[in-house]
């Protein structure tokens, strides 16, 4: 039973994700987390303000269940299936690299306290970086027609060329951010 308390290797979790995507394709569904935001906005009446939200959101209710399941699953895994929920199982080299970048909470928290604590509200630079990043991610997800998980998991499993291009762009953007922009910002 100890296997459930440890991170699963890629050769277990990868095929499980592939099997899930196969089931969704078999049932004629496409998975995407960011599309749930559109669905929730439509449920709340945003379709009266913008045509983008005017669609049959009832046909997307199943995707909301996936979102709810991810939240519940994450809660259960963190609080009941982790031997030490205060640590994050990442390599010591990665922890050292993150420490060198100024993230002292690396390996100790899922969200770095340097970015995700109430202290950021007193630091204008961190607040500006988070706000700018959020706007760029929101714009990018809308402009690209999906988020990183939507393109990387669902789009690639559907063999969509735009998703392949988007995923290549995500990786290039991540490398540019961490190797060139991050040292300039911090």
């Amino acid at each position: 039973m100890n296997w459930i308390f440890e991170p699963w290797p890629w050769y277990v979790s990868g095929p499980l994700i592939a099997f899930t995507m196969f089931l969704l394709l078999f049932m004629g569904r496409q998975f995407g987390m960011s599309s749930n935001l559109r669905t929730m906005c439509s449920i709340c009446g945003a379709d009266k303000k913008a045509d983008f939200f005017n669609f049959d959101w009832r046909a997307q209710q199943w995707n909301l269940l996936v979102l709810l399941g991810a939240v519940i699953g994450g809660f259960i895994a963190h609080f009941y299936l982790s031997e030490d929920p205060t640590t994050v199982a990442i390599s010591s080299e990665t922890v050292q690299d993150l420490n060198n970048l100024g993230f002292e909470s690396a390996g100790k928290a899922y969200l770095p306290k340097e970015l995700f604590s109430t202290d950021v509200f007193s630091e204008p630079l961190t607040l500006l970086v988070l706000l700018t990043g959020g706007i760029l991610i929101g714009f990018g997800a809308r402009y690209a027609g999906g988020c990183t998980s939507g393109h990387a998991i669902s789009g690639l499993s559907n063999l969509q060329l735009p998703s392949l291009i988007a995923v290549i762009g995500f990786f290039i953007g991540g490398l540019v951010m961490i190797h060139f922009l991050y040292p300039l910002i911090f």
Side-chain angles (χ1 to χ4, degrees):
M1 189 66 186
N2 285 338
W3 59 270
I4 202 162
F5 293 108
E6 299 173 2
W8 293 356
W10 66 266
Y11 53 82
V12 173
S13 55
L16 286 175
I17 292 172
F19 179 69
T20 302
M21 295 312 300
F22 173 77
L23 288 178
L24 287 173
L25 288 173
F26 185 73
M27 294 186 313
R29 309 280 184 176
Q30 289 188 347
F31 167 76
M33 282 297 189
S34 60
S35 62
N36 285 315
L37 182 59
R38 181 182 183 207
T39 302
M40 287 188 282
C41 288
S42 294
I43 290 172
C44 293
D47 57 332
K48 295 175 183 75
K49 301 288 183 187
D51 290 338
F52 176 71
F53 299 107
N54 189 9
F55 71 102
D56 183 18
W57 59 265
R58 288 173 183 81
Q60 293 296 315
Q61 286 177 322
W62 69 272
N63 211 2
L64 290 173
L65 287 176
V66 173
L67 176 67
L68 181 65
V71 170
I72 293 171
F75 181 84
I76 291 170
H78 180 72
F79 288 105
Y80 299 108
L81 299 178
S82 299
E83 289 183 353
D84 185 5
T86 60
T87 62
V88 181
I90 54 178
S91 73
S92 59
E93 292 86 10
T94 302
V95 170
Q96 185 61 45
D97 287 345
L98 291 171
N99 286 338
N100 292 340
L101 291 172
F103 292 99
E104 297 298 324
S105 62
K108 301 172 189 166
Y110 282 96
L111 298 175
K113 293 178 181 173
E114 292 80 3
L115 292 177
F116 295 97
S117 71
T118 54
D119 294 340
V120 300
F121 295 111
S122 62
E123 298 173 24
L125 177 62
T126 305
L127 200 57
L128 179 67
V129 168
L130 290 173
L131 183 64
T132 304
I135 290 171
L136 288 174
I137 287 173
F139 174 79
R142 172 64 189 105
Y143 190 69
C147 63
T148 52
S149 66
H151 281 293
I153 298 172
S154 184
L156 289 181
S157 67
N158 288 321
L159 303 177
Q160 295 181 6
L161 180 60
S163 291
L164 177 63
I165 295 169
V167 169
I168 291 170
F170 298 149
F171 275 97
I172 291 172
L175 291 172
V176 167
M177 175 61 194
I178 200 64
H179 291 292
F180 298 110
L181 298 179
Y182 186 87
L184 293 175
I185 296 171
F186 296 100

